[in-house]
Amino acid sequence: MARLLDSNGEDAIVGKSVGYWLNAADLVSTADLDVKSLGLLGFPRDWPTVYTSSKALKSLIGKKGRCAGKKVGVVGEPLPEEADQVKGVSLRHLQSFLNAAMVEKKTGFSVVPGWAVFEHLDLAVSEAFVAERYWWNALPDGKWVDFTPRPKTWPELLLAEAAGEASKAQSSLTTG
């Protein structure tokens, strides 16, 4: 089983470790579902048409959305030459905040704060979406690259750069 790491790259200990922890407040559903009820999530099925046709998606990541985005892009797996630049960095599932910060420290690739956007796959096509607070990196030429490991069934992610404040505070790890 994969272990969580704290902000120092050490194994996390509940109640003691401080870091950037994903929590319920970091997930926003247009179906107003809580974290335990999100169901099956995946890449938007009607992409790219859904970006201009779905009121639900616009209400989530549009300029005036709940998770307003100023730039949106589809990001695939890092290219081999990009992955080579982060060799030795201990990248973890569900820890995009720490991963992006560690990549920036090693390579200088800037952190891009924003949202990973998924569709509720167990609902009708384009009916409902989820935004997860998420960080990734930008190469010196501006190209986005995401080094956070993800399921093989998600070869691409829809990312939305935050239009406003999207910082994440470090906190103690809890079980709730």
Side-chain angles (χ1 to χ4, degrees):
M1 180 171 171
R3 299 180 321 259
L4 292 175
L5 298 179
D6 65 15
S7 58
N8 296 318
E10 302 292 327
D11 286 345
I13 300 170
V14 173
K16 291 186 177 184
S17 296
V18 174
Y20 297 109
W21 311 115
L22 188 63
N23 60 48
D26 295 320
L27 295 151
V28 179
S29 167
T30 61
D32 293 322
L33 297 173
D34 65 35
V35 173
K36 294 179 181 176
S37 305
L38 290 177
L40 186 60
L41 303 176
F43 189 83
R45 292 173 281 192
D46 196 22
W47 185 261
T49 305
V50 67
Y51 186 66
T52 55
S53 65
S54 172
K55 289 181 181 180
L57 185 58
K58 185 175 183 175
S59 75
L60 187 63
I61 60 168
K63 290 180 182 175
K64 295 181 182 179
R66 293 165 65 185
C67 305
K70 66 179 175 182
K71 179 180 173 185
V72 174
V74 175
V75 175
E77 294 285 337
L79 298 173
E81 58 269 22
E82 295 164 348
D84 285 347
Q85 296 185 59
V86 299
K87 280 189 176 168
V89 176
S90 187
L91 301 168
R92 301 296 175 133
H93 291 271
L94 300 173
Q95 289 195 263
S96 73
F97 313 119
L98 177 62
N99 292 338
M102 290 190 312
V103 166
E104 181 179 46
K105 185 176 181 179
K106 177 169 176 126
T107 65
F109 299 162
S110 62
V111 172
V112 182
W115 305 90
V117 182
F118 305 98
E119 184 172 357
H120 283 284
L121 298 180
D122 45 1
L123 298 177
V125 173
S126 303
E127 179 181 327
F129 300 87
V130 173
E132 172 191 334
R133 188 179 311 273
Y134 199 88
W135 293 355
W136 59 97
N137 298 91
L139 301 178
D141 66 2
K143 178 188 174 193
W144 288 354
V145 62
D146 174 38
F147 293 101
T148 295
R150 56 182 179 257
K152 295 295 179 199
T153 55
W154 293 353
E156 296 179 313
L157 288 181
L158 177 59
L159 300 175
E161 182 178 3
E165 177 61 31
S167 63
K168 176 74 178 170
Q170 291 193 39
S171 62
S172 293
L173 180 63
T174 64
T175 60

